[in-house]
Amino acid sequence: MSAISELTSLRRTRAKTADERRQQRKENGRDNKAGYLFLLPWLIGLVVITIGPMCASLYLSFTDYNLLQPPKWAGLANFQQMLHDERLHQSLKVTFIYVFVGVPLQLALALAIAILLDKGMKGLSFYRSIFYLPSMLGGSVAIAVLWRQIFGTDGLVNQVLRLIGIDSHTGWVSDPRYALGTIIILHIWTFGSPMVIFLAGLRQIPVMYYEAAAVDGASRWSRFSKITMPLLSPIVFFNLVLQIIGAFQSFTQAFVVSGGSGGPSDSTLFYTLYLYNRGFANLQMGYASAMAWLLLVIIGGFTAINFFVSKYWVFYDD
Amino acid sequence: MTSTIAPTPTTREPAGTPRTTPGRGGRTASRIRSVIKHILLIACSLLMIYPLLWMLISSFRPTNTIFRTPGLWLRDATLANYGHGWHALSPTFGHYLINSGIVVLGAIIGNVMSCSLAAYAFARLKFRGRTLWFTIMLLSIMLPIHVVVVPQYIIFNNLGWVNTFVPLILPKFLATDAFFVFLAVQFIRGIPKDLDEAARIDGCGHWGIFSRVILPLMVPAIATTVIFTFIWTWGDFFTALIYLTSPDKYTTPIALRQFLDATSGSDWGAMFAMSIVSLLPVFLIFLFGQRYLIKGIATTGIK
C-alpha cells in the first residue's frame, strides 16, 4: 500500500452507519493516553514546525516584511503585484515546461526500462543498481557541478560532438535556448527511483494472467495493454502524483547550474529559485510567502485533478 | 541450459508438423531477442554511468587536459587536484565533511527516534482521532517546504539559532520527515499482533511492547530510515543554504558551491576531485545499503 492508495482507501471507507461509527469510537478510545504520548514528538513538530508556520505564512502573505521592521499590513498588494510581475510569470513558465516535459519523459523511460528488466532476467540486480545510482546522487551539488561542465562550452558534450565531426562551440548551459533543456535531461537521467517502484509493481502481477493470455494467443501488445497497464495503473498514478509534486519544487540543480540567478536571461528561473531570491536575497518575506501559497495552490490543484481523473484510469482490484 | 527446461508436458503441438522445427525456431528467436535486449540495456547503462566515470577519471587528470579528453583513458594520472581542492577554501575541505557528519548524525538519531515512536502509535494503538491524524500525516508528506520555510526562518532567527546546526537537526527530532513515519507504519503492520499479546500477558505496557518487541523487530525499517536520512541530509542544499551563513559552519554542498564561485568554474580538476570526495560517502552507503534502499522505495510505492 502506498501513501497515495492509503489516502484513497481512507476516503472510501469513511461512509458508515451511525451504529458502526459509535462502535468504532468506543473501540478507538482504548489507548487514548498512550497514543498521544507516543505521538507527542510528531504532534509538537506538526504544531511548531508545520501548522503554526503555515498560518504565519498565510498572514505574512498579506504584509510587507523585511525581517528588520515589524510586518506591515498590505492587504492584497502582494497578490496584485504578482499579477504584474514579469519575472514571476517567466518562472511559472519555466517550471511548467519542466514539469510537463520532464515528468512524462522520465516516467516513460522508467516504465520502459522496468518492463525490459523482466522477472528472472540475468543481471537484473546489476542493471538495476546502475540505473538507480543517478537518482541517489542526482540531487547533489556535485552532480549539478558536473552538469555545468558537461554542457559548458568546453564540456563533454561538445568534445564528443567534435569527435564525430561536428564542430560545436555552443555553451548549452549559457544559451537561453538550451539551458532549461539540459536541466530537463538531468531530471530524466534520475529515472531510477520511479523505475524501482515500477519493478516492484510488476513483480506483484500474478504470472498466471500472462500464462492464460499466452494460451489464448494474446499478442505482446494486448498483454501489455490489457494486463500490465491496468494492474500497474495504481503505481503509475502514485509515481505521477509524487513526481509532479517533487518537480514543482526543484531547486538545487537550477540554482547551481545557473549560478543562483536563474540565468541566462531567466531561462532557468525555476519558481522556487525566484521565491528564494525574493525572500532570502531581497528580504521580501511577505512577497515570498504569497508566492509560497500560490505554489501550494498550484500543487494542491494538480494533485486534486490527478485524484479526480484517476477514477477513470486507475484500477484497484479489491 | 534452456534446452532442458523448454518442452513442458502441457505444450500442445499440432499433429503432423515436424516436432523440432517450431520449438528450436522459437528458441533461437527468443535468444536473439534476449541478446538484443542485453545490448540495449548495456548501451543504456553505459550512457547512464558515463558522466560519473568521466568525472571520476577527470579528477585525476591535470586540469588543462580535461577539456580535451572525452574518453575514459587515463594518462599522466595525478593526485594534485585532490591536494589543491582540499586546501582551496579556508577552512580545508575536511572541516566541511565534519560539519556534514555532525548534521547527518543528529538527523539520523532524530528521525529514528521520533518516527518509530509515531509509527507505533499509528500502527498499534487505538485512540480517538487516529484516522484524522493519520490523514494529516499522509498529507504532510506532500506539503512543499516553501510554504513553511519563511516563518520557520523567522522563528529560528528570533531564537538566535540561525548559523547553527539546530534548524537542520531539531525538526528531525519532531518527526517532520513523515515519509519515514509512513514507512515504519507499513513495517509494523506486518509484525504479527500475537507478539504484542504475548508481551502484554507477560506484563508489558505499551512502552515495553514498543521497546522490547517492536523496536528489535523493526531493524530493517530502521536501516532504511538511517540510509535514506544519510543520503538526503548529506545532499541537502536548500536548508543549509538558508540557515548557514558563515564558512566555518558550511556543510559539504554549500562549500562545493562556494568553490564553484570562488574559482569561477575554471579549476575543474579540483572541483571534480572535491565533488568525488563529497559523493564518496553516499556512494558507499548506496553500495552497502542497496537492499534496504530498494525495499524502502518499493514498499512505499506498492499498492
Side-chain angles (χ1 to χ4, degrees):
Chain A
M1 269 265 209
S2 74
I4 303 238
S5 54
E6 191 99 352
L7 271 179
T8 324
S9 72
L10 277 175
R11 202 180 45 177
R12 263 186 296 168
T13 53
R14 211 167 31 194
K16 275 184 190 143
T17 64
D19 245 15
E20 278 175 320
R21 236 179 285 153
R22 205 169 309 130
Q23 179 61 35
Q24 182 154 26
R25 215 173 300 148
K26 216 159 122 200
E27 165 94 336
N28 277 354
R30 229 178 48 201
D31 303 316
N32 268 335
K33 220 168 90 186
Y36 281 96
L37 272 176
F38 274 90
L39 270 194
L40 197 60
W42 176 78
L43 277 171
I44 294 173
L46 184 72
V47 173
V48 178
I49 304 280
T50 308
I51 293 183
M54 269 179 90
C55 299
S57 123
L58 187 62
Y59 165 74
L60 286 177
S61 69
F62 296 105
T63 65
D64 255 340
Y65 185 40
N66 61 4
L67 280 184
L68 309 169
Q69 283 115 13
K72 222 174 8 193
W73 184 258
L76 288 172
N78 287 327
F79 295 95
Q80 273 160 352
Q81 197 189 336
M82 280 161 68
L83 282 177
H84 305 290
D85 184 347
E86 300 272 333
R87 292 195 79 199
L88 181 114
H89 302 161
Q90 170 67 13
S91 73
L92 278 173
K93 194 179 124 195
V94 167
T95 310
F96 273 91
I97 293 175
Y98 179 75
V99 170
F100 281 110
V101 177
V103 171
L105 284 178
Q106 192 206 41
L107 288 185
L109 190 62
L111 184 60
I113 300 278
I115 287 172
L116 218 52
L117 292 175
D118 57 12
K119 286 159 257 187
M121 126 174 227
K122 258 189 231 163
L124 168 76
S125 63
F126 169 76
Y127 289 126
R128 192 179 51 194
S129 321
I130 298 266
F131 291 134
Y132 188 42
L133 180 63
S135 68
M136 281 295 106
L137 307 178
S140 63
V141 169
I143 295 298
V145 163
L146 171 66
W147 227 247
R148 223 170 106 151
Q149 207 288 335
I150 287 181
F151 289 98
T153 315
D154 293 314
L156 185 58
V157 168
N158 283 344
Q159 288 171 27
V160 171
L161 285 176
R162 256 169 251 160
L163 215 63
I164 57 173
I166 302 168
D167 192 23
S168 167
H169 293 282
T170 317
W172 304 95
V173 283
S174 52
D175 188 325
R177 282 174 298 173
Y178 307 117
L180 180 57
T182 62
I183 300 180
I184 291 177
I185 292 174
L186 174 52
H187 180 73
I188 297 169
W189 186 59
T190 62
F191 69 82
S193 56
M195 181 202 71
V196 166
I197 297 174
F198 281 136
L199 272 173
L202 286 170
R203 195 172 291 172
Q204 299 293 101
I205 300 177
V207 187
M208 57 177 193
Y209 289 176
Y210 292 108
E211 282 166 356
V215 169
D216 290 347
S219 70
R220 211 158 243 279
W221 170 251
S222 69
R223 266 179 286 167
F224 173 73
S225 63
K226 302 251 166 66
I227 301 174
T228 311
M229 274 322 276
L231 289 175
L232 207 61
S233 61
I235 288 148
V236 176
F237 176 59
F238 170 83
N239 270 334
L240 189 68
V241 170
L242 279 201
Q243 290 296 327
I244 288 179
I245 293 174
F248 269 114
Q249 300 175 62
S250 301
F251 178 79
T252 307
Q253 294 87 338
F255 188 96
V256 176
V257 170
S258 74
S261 65
S265 331
D266 285 350
S267 61
T268 60
L269 185 68
F270 279 59
Y271 192 83
T272 52
L273 189 49
Y274 187 48
L275 190 155
Y276 168 83
N277 278 330
R278 280 283 186 155
F280 294 92
N282 303 341
L283 293 183
Q284 291 169 301
M285 293 296 187
Y287 197 72
S289 299
M291 280 188 69
W293 274 89
L294 179 63
L295 181 68
L296 183 67
V297 169
I298 291 173
I299 291 178
F302 268 91
T303 310
I305 291 170
N306 252 325
F307 266 91
F308 179 75
V309 175
S310 76
K311 273 189 284 195
Y312 300 100
W313 67 276
V314 177
F315 300 93
Y316 294 98
D317 57 350
D318 46 56
Chain B
M1 192 188 92
T2 44
S3 60
T4 54
I5 315 169
T8 50
T10 48
T11 315
R12 277 176 301 163
E13 278 176 10
T17 47
R19 297 200 57 130
T20 48
T21 329
R24 187 168 292 163
R27 225 176 292 147
T28 320
S30 86
R31 188 164 299 157
I32 290 172
R33 245 202 321 267
S34 145
V35 168
I36 292 174
K37 197 164 76 178
H38 277 282
I39 290 174
L40 204 69
L41 283 170
I42 289 170
C44 275
S45 322
L46 220 66
L47 198 66
M48 293 288 288
I49 211 79
Y50 193 84
L52 294 172
L53 285 179
W54 182 80
M55 173 160 77
L56 178 66
I57 288 170
S58 294
S59 73
F60 295 108
R61 282 180 181 142
T63 293
N64 58 351
T65 65
I66 291 177
F67 302 110
R68 285 184 270 116
T69 342
L72 294 179
W73 58 90
L74 183 62
R75 254 175 300 158
D76 327 317
T78 167
L79 279 173
N81 292 327
Y82 283 85
H84 188 195
W86 192 267
H87 296 288
L89 298 174
S90 77
T92 59
F93 212 77
H95 188 87
Y96 306 116
L97 292 174
I98 292 171
N99 283 350
S100 275
I102 295 169
V103 171
V104 165
L105 191 69
I108 287 175
I109 295 170
N111 265 345
V112 168
M113 277 172 44
S114 62
C115 293
S116 53
L117 279 174
Y120 178 74
F122 283 131
R124 283 295 206 256
L125 300 176
K126 299 196 178 305
F127 54 92
R128 215 159 275 140
R130 178 171 79 154
T131 316
L132 174 72
W133 294 123
F134 190 63
T135 312
I136 292 176
M137 190 273 292
L138 288 176
L139 286 173
S140 75
I141 296 178
M142 293 169 237
L143 187 78
I145 56 158
H146 308 90
V147 183
V148 291
V149 76
V150 168
Q152 271 181 22
Y153 180 84
I154 295 166
I155 295 169
F156 287 126
N157 192 28
N158 285 334
L159 291 169
W161 288 343
V162 166
N163 202 27
T164 71
F165 297 145
V166 180
L168 278 63
I169 296 174
L170 180 72
K172 315 282 179 186
F173 278 84
L174 302 174
T176 44
D177 286 345
F179 170 82
F180 299 117
V181 179
F182 181 68
L183 189 100
V185 167
Q186 294 295 84
F187 193 86
I188 295 174
R189 280 176 178 171
I191 299 172
K193 278 205 169 135
D194 308 352
L195 294 173
D196 302 26
E197 294 304 325
R200 194 189 305 280
I201 290 164
D202 288 349
C204 275
H206 284 305
W207 177 252
I209 296 173
F210 170 71
S211 61
R212 294 200 201 156
V213 180
I214 301 291
L215 213 52
L217 290 172
M218 256 177 75
V219 169
I222 291 173
T224 309
T225 304
V226 168
I227 291 166
F228 270 110
T229 307
F230 188 104
I231 292 179
W232 289 344
T233 312
W234 186 269
D236 176 32
F237 180 66
F238 187 65
T239 359
L241 180 69
I242 287 173
Y243 287 115
L244 304 178
T245 50
S246 71
D248 66 306
K249 290 287 189 330
Y250 282 171
T251 53
T252 320
I254 308 292
L256 213 52
R257 224 282 294 191
Q258 192 71 7
F259 202 151
L260 193 66
D261 283 356
T263 59
S264 61
S266 55
D267 194 354
W268 287 106
M271 195 74 234
F272 283 166
M274 289 308 102
S275 294
I276 294 290
V277 168
S278 81
L279 288 180
L280 202 61
V282 179
F283 181 73
L284 290 177
I285 293 267
F286 175 84
L287 215 58
F288 295 111
Q290 237 197 98
R291 197 159 53 96
Y292 294 112
L293 281 169
I294 283 166
K295 218 179 263 169
I297 278 277
T299 45
T300 46
I302 289 185
K303 190 177 92 67

